[in-house]
Amino acid sequence: MPPVLNITWKELLLNFRDRSGLILMFIAPFALILVIGAAFGGFSSETSATIGQIPVVLVNHDQGEFSTYVIDAFYSEDLSDLVSPSLNSDESQARLAVDNDQAAAAVIIPANFSESIYPKALQNGEFPNNSNDNPFQRETSTIEVYRNPSRVISSGIIRSIVDTILDRFVSGGLTTEINILQMIQFGLITLDQAPEIGEKLGREAANNPIENDWVSLKTENFSSEPQQTEFDWLTYSVPSMAILYLMFTINAAGRSILTEKNQGTLSRMLVTPTTATHIIGGKMLGAILTGVLQMTVILLGGTLLYSIQWGSYFGLILLTLAIVAAATGWSMIIAAFSQTPGQASAIGTAITLTFAAAAGNFLPRGALPEWLQNASLITPNGWGLEGYTNLSLGNGFESVLPAIIALFIMALVLFLISSLIFRRQYQ
Amino acid sequence: MPLIETKDLVKKFDNFTAVKKINFHIQQGEIFGLLGPNGAGKTTTISMLSTLLKPSNGDAFISGHSVVEEPLLVRQIIGVVPQEIALYDDLTAEENLKFWGRMYRMSGKELTRQIEKVLEQIGLTDRKKDRVETYSGGMKRRLNIGVGLLHQPQLLFMDEPTVGIDPQSRRKILDTVIELNQQGLTVLYTTHYMEEAQELSHRVGIIDHGEMIAIGNQQELTEMVGEYDTMRLHIQAQEDGQQLAARLKEIPEIIEASTADHEIVIITPTAEDVLPTVINIANQLNIKIRSIDIQEPNLEAVFLHLTGRALRD
Ligand SMILES: Nc1ncnc2c1ncn2[C@@H]1O[C@H](COP(=O)(O)OP(=O)(O)OP(=O)(O)O)[C@@H](O)[C@H]1O
Ligand SMILES: [Mg+2]
């Protein structure tokens, strides 16, 4: 085994033999993830295993025919395993059911829902001539999903079901079908032309879904604070705690340069036929492998616990490597500027906590002031949180590429600076 | 060609000079003792010879290789037993030896065989699977030495390898050094125990305040003092030492009288003759003497003669 790998192996042996180190590495972050889960998600009544038969109350204020599409969708065979819908004509009762945690969400269909899709005027044959592009004048309507904030996952599922149904109305075949029916009804086109024009309309609709926002979706939690609808504490807590504890682990690894200096083993290595660069390199490789293992365990555990869907696993792996490398760079800088392990520990803890607070490990990153969100991009935490959040929202590899590049550049710069300092100290 | 040769070796720490233009050489097959009190510059010298510290001035050559220019070549030849125990407490003896062996690019059967051999030599075979943190001080010392021997170096630096251990372990270590030397190992051994230097070394260098004040074999060194005896008075109270030493210095037959830890060391040509006078003075001063020890000329006397101080002060 070449000396560099020999040192790496020794680092791993020591790291995984140190019981308090292991607790800090794996137990503590999971404990916090679970605490956050209990505090924000009520996950005891809601683990991925119990999702299914999500209770949802449907309120239909609409007399028209199109709201029944929505209702029928909830009662369809496809969704019968997932949701357990009930109809209630009283909106306030429905909201109360959600507030009392009897339902994950209430879906409230407004009175003008059908009108917004197929205006009465058209049904009565009143054909407005004021526009060539969009011959049908419609009012907009808003379906509300009233969410139960203690059932983050299942109310999120309800929301996405409504989303999908509305998608079908707005950009999918349903409106196209209606449009063509109307056109034939009013003698604007003949039956022969229907397929061709239908296809054209459909394609237009698919390309410009925004122009067709006759129906919109409103999601509401009963808390009065404006909430980002996509933000989910449970999902967020996993990368957040993983990054926080990664920094602690990696700092300990960097600090071990000074511990070894104190206990004489660094000097002893320096009188073997091995250069200082190789010694530091071997130790850093050990730190990186330890960090990658820690991140893998925490992210994997969190993913299983909260059924997180990552947008790109390739992105996830690269982002994890990048953040571990950047964290290692910081720990080396800290070790290079410290004289004793105690000093490195104090500086390391201060930096770790400052970085975590500034980058949003303890708060949603989106809740931080704009300037702090930008300033905290000098930390691995900032880029890491942005990257993991993007991936957990289902975004693909491109969405994390900037974070990956930034983190690797950060790592490179820190490695260079600290190795210059180490070279002056040890050779 | 000598195995070690130094050329005006100097080490400065900021504006303090720890080693001042040291020149000496050690031949293949020798045990060379570097004797000196605390802070004399022994460790600093060894650190430069083992390429850990860069000399501020001058150079040293190990088997012809400059420690400044060719440190990696020098490191292939040498083994180092540091003064402070340098081991991984969380690893077992076997794991420590494996790690350090691999640092010298040893592997496979050769490594396994050497580990077994060294464990036998240092008497730790039956504890090899235990973590070092569970070892006694003496066992750690022995393993510390074992690591230095593992890769069968040509030249071994041992920096006070017996500090702070029981007489039995110490005896074992000294015997090991002698045995290894008989098998051809060259040893540079530092100590502030006169007895160790005396027993082990073919030649001794006496170092004090960063200067090599004398060098030679024991006969050559003791001849510097002449045919003088060393007399040690063990006294009850440390505080009485100065007063008694001052009075004893007035006696014409006493060349030197110096205080050390509960001891007064006296250099005199005729120990038996001055003994009654010494006891008399002690009685006059009401100082209680617990034991008296008279020795033939030795390195302690040489040091005292050269510096006016006892070796252990
Ligand atoms: N890194 C250093 N920085 C400053 N001064 C140093 C350093 N290392 C050693 N010294 C000083 O150099 C002098 C010689 O130290 P050295 O360790 O070589 O002595 P020594 O003979 O080995 O002593 P001991 O028997 O106590 O081990 C001492 O005064 C010590 O304080
Ligand atoms: Mg020393």
Side-chain angles (χ1 to χ4, degrees):
Chain A
M1 194 186 297
V4 174
L5 295 185
N6 181 37
I7 293 169
T8 303
W9 174 244
K10 181 259 306 173
E11 291 294 307
L12 294 177
L13 215 56
L14 289 176
N15 287 345
F16 290 101
R17 207 166 263 191
D18 172 15
R19 209 163 288 155
S20 57
L22 286 180
I23 291 175
L24 191 68
M25 233 186 277
F26 298 112
I27 312 283
F30 266 117
L32 267 176
I33 289 171
L34 293 176
V35 166
I36 290 173
F40 291 90
F43 74 97
S44 52
S45 70
E46 174 153 288
T47 59
S48 53
T50 65
I51 287 177
Q53 299 298 314
I54 301 165
V56 55
V57 187
L58 307 172
V59 181
N60 191 2
H61 293 308
D62 183 38
Q63 303 300 321
E65 58 186 297
F66 292 102
S67 55
T68 54
Y69 281 102
V70 180
I71 305 291
D72 288 351
F74 272 98
Y75 280 99
S76 72
E77 192 70 24
D78 290 347
L79 291 182
S80 62
D81 282 344
L82 188 60
V83 297
S84 135
S86 61
L87 273 169
N88 196 326
S89 54
D90 186 339
E91 182 179 328
S92 57
Q93 266 183 21
R95 287 181 194 272
L96 201 65
V98 173
D99 293 350
N100 293 340
D101 201 28
Q102 288 154 354
V107 176
I108 297 150
I109 303 172
N112 65 347
F113 180 70
S114 290
E115 175 68 16
S116 71
I117 291 181
Y118 190 16
K120 274 273 165 15
L122 282 177
Q123 291 180 36
N124 297 339
E126 294 159 24
F127 181 69
N129 268 322
N130 55 353
S131 161
N132 301 329
D133 299 82
N134 186 1
F136 310 112
Q137 204 69 42
R138 289 182 170 87
E139 51 181 297
T140 51
S141 67
T142 301
I143 289 192
E144 182 184 340
V145 175
Y146 183 70
R147 289 178 67 171
N148 180 338
S150 73
R151 302 205 195 186
V152 180
I153 300 170
S154 43
S155 66
I157 292 174
I158 299 299
R159 182 191 180 280
S160 62
I161 291 173
V162 176
D163 234 352
T164 312
I165 298 170
L166 291 187
D167 251 14
R168 260 192 269 156
F169 270 104
V170 174
S171 63
L174 195 51
T175 38
T176 312
E177 255 169 55
I178 297 164
N179 287 339
I180 291 173
L181 276 175
Q182 290 164 347
M183 290 179 180
I184 296 170
Q185 196 176 340
F186 297 114
L188 294 172
I189 55 172
T190 66
L191 262 173
D192 297 346
Q193 291 170 296
E196 189 194 333
I197 294 181
E199 196 196 321
K200 184 169 160 270
L201 277 174
R203 200 177 297 134
E204 257 174 31
N207 289 342
N208 302 313
I210 299 150
E211 284 178 28
N212 292 322
D213 56 348
W214 312 310
V215 184
S216 66
L217 174 66
K218 174 174 150 206
T219 316
E220 195 166 324
N221 289 333
F222 66 72
S223 75
S224 55
E225 281 165 16
Q227 277 250 355
Q228 278 185 300
T229 51
E230 293 90 349
F231 184 77
D232 172 4
W233 251 117
L234 296 187
T235 304
Y236 190 74
S237 72
V238 173
S240 172
M241 292 303 119
I243 292 170
L244 177 64
Y245 280 87
L246 171 75
M247 294 289 280
F248 281 119
T249 303
I250 297 280
N251 276 337
R255 185 163 72 238
S256 74
I257 295 175
L258 297 162
T259 314
E260 292 220 42
K261 190 171 154 191
N262 265 12
Q263 72 188 17
T265 43
L266 183 65
S267 298
R268 194 165 210 167
M269 281 194 264
L270 285 168
V271 297
T272 68
T274 313
T275 62
T277 312
H278 283 132
I279 293 170
I280 305 279
K283 286 185 72 70
M284 288 310 107
L285 189 57
I288 288 174
L289 291 179
T290 306
V292 167
L293 196 82
Q294 181 191 20
M295 289 299 280
T296 306
V297 169
I298 299 176
L299 290 176
L300 201 71
T303 302
L304 295 175
L305 190 64
Y306 296 139
S307 318
I308 304 171
Q309 305 277 326
W310 303 102
S312 155
Y313 282 92
F314 179 60
L316 187 67
I317 291 166
L318 271 191
L319 179 65
T320 303
L321 287 177
I323 194 169
V324 172
T328 306
W330 278 105
S331 82
M332 282 179 71
I333 283 282
I334 293 167
F337 280 105
S338 307
Q339 300 299 317
T340 63
Q343 223 174 55
S345 177
I347 298 175
T349 306
I351 287 188
T352 298
L353 293 178
T354 309
F355 277 12
N361 282 83
F362 304 127
L363 285 170
R365 194 168 156 73
L368 298 173
E370 185 94 16
W371 68 267
L372 194 55
Q373 288 190 35
N374 291 330
S376 63
L377 289 180
I378 67 149
T379 70
N381 311 47
W383 285 108
L385 283 171
E386 285 204 347
Y388 286 115
T389 304
N390 274 337
L391 289 174
S392 74
L393 292 175
N395 296 317
F397 176 67
E398 326 76 60
S399 72
V400 283
L401 192 60
I404 291 170
I405 293 172
L407 286 167
F408 275 126
I409 290 175
M410 186 187 294
L412 197 70
V413 170
L414 295 171
F415 280 140
L416 283 178
I417 298 172
S418 51
S419 52
L420 283 179
I421 299 172
F422 281 131
R423 192 172 305 174
R424 271 185 34 204
Q425 283 176 10
Y426 298 118
Q427 206 76 63
Chain B
M1 181 177 64
L3 191 53
I4 299 183
E5 186 166 22
T6 74
K7 293 242 164 78
D8 294 335
L9 210 50
V10 174
K11 184 67 196 181
K12 287 187 182 139
F13 294 112
D14 298 323
N15 42 26
F16 172 76
T17 309
V19 170
K20 301 166 186 164
K21 278 202 174 190
I22 278 189
N23 284 297
F24 67 100
H25 59 85
I26 298 175
Q27 297 297 336
Q28 180 97 40
E30 262 191 310
I31 298 181
F32 185 90
L34 198 54
L35 179 68
N38 289 142
K42 304 183 293 295
T43 299
T44 307
T45 304
I46 282 201
S47 298
M48 287 188 283
L49 294 178
S50 59
T51 76
L52 186 59
L53 285 180
K54 225 184 199 132
S56 313
N57 238 315
D59 201 347
F61 299 87
I62 312 289
S63 208
H65 301 297
S66 156
V67 295
V68 182
E69 306 293 337
E70 305 162 291
L72 287 177
L73 280 176
V74 169
R75 291 177 199 172
Q76 309 268 13
I77 302 168
I78 61 169
V80 180
V81 177
Q83 180 173 0
E84 307 295 340
I85 292 167
L87 300 166
Y88 295 103
D89 270 355
D90 289 331
L91 301 184
T92 66
E94 198 176 27
E95 287 167 339
N96 265 288
L97 289 168
K98 205 171 266 176
F99 171 75
W100 292 109
R102 284 173 179 157
M103 289 304 287
Y104 289 93
R105 291 165 205 275
M106 298 169 77
S107 61
K109 285 218 175 65
E110 183 208 8
L111 180 57
T112 320
R113 205 180 46 236
Q114 268 305 109
I115 289 175
E116 290 309 315
K117 188 176 138 197
V118 163
L119 282 169
E120 204 59 51
Q121 256 169 343
I122 58 178
L124 286 175
T125 305
D126 50 344
R127 293 292 303 270
K128 67 178 180 183
K129 299 272 185 213
D130 294 340
R131 289 196 196 182
V132 171
E133 64 188 353
T134 67
Y135 284 15
S136 73
M139 292 162 74
K140 287 183 189 175
R141 279 262 160 229
R142 268 141 60 196
L143 183 57
N144 197 41
I145 294 170
V147 169
L149 300 173
L150 195 62
H151 62 290
Q152 299 181 286
Q154 219 183 316
L155 168 64
L156 186 64
F157 295 113
M158 301 183 92
D159 197 357
E160 309 205 29
T162 60
V163 165
I165 58 169
D166 60 286
Q168 234 175 324
S169 290
R170 181 178 186 163
R171 187 65 255 154
K172 175 116 177 76
I173 289 171
L174 297 185
D175 289 344
T176 310
V177 174
I178 293 169
E179 192 189 316
L180 289 166
N181 174 251
Q182 281 163 356
Q183 293 163 10
L185 180 69
T186 308
V187 182
L188 172 55
Y189 190 106
T190 82
T191 181
H192 60 253
Y193 296 125
M194 182 260 314
E195 303 86 345
E196 272 183 14
Q198 213 156 256
E199 178 185 341
L200 289 178
S201 316
H202 300 114
R203 286 193 309 133
V204 174
I206 298 181
I207 184 171
D208 187 39
H209 293 310
E211 283 178 288
M212 196 71 101
I213 52 176
I215 205 164
N217 63 31
Q218 285 187 48
Q219 201 187 336
E220 289 163 354
L221 289 174
T222 44
E223 273 169 9
M224 294 173 73
V225 211
E227 284 300 302
Y228 294 152
D229 295 333
T230 306
M231 191 153 89
R232 288 165 187 280
L233 308 183
H234 201 105
I235 53 172
Q236 180 104 39
Q238 171 84 1
E239 315 81 71
D240 297 336
Q242 298 291 351
Q243 193 189 3
L244 181 55
R247 283 288 301 277
L248 291 177
K249 274 187 192 163
E250 292 164 10
I251 303 171
E253 290 83 15
I254 289 182
I255 313 276
E256 230 1 296
S258 152
T259 54
D261 176 32
H262 284 273
E263 260 183 6
I264 294 174
V265 184
I266 299 163
I267 305 290
T268 169
T270 51
E272 285 85 355
D273 295 350
V274 297
L275 187 55
T277 326
V278 169
I279 293 172
N280 250 332
I281 293 174
N283 280 340
Q284 280 169 27
L285 294 172
N286 228 347
I287 292 171
K288 193 157 191 270
I289 297 172
R290 303 181 80 195
S291 69
I292 299 175
D293 176 34
I294 298 171
Q295 290 168 328
E296 304 278 281
N298 60 25
L299 294 176
E300 173 92 56
V302 176
F303 189 82
L304 192 58
H305 173 75
L306 291 172
T307 65
R309 288 177 290 118
L311 197 50
R312 277 170 278 177
D313 51 5

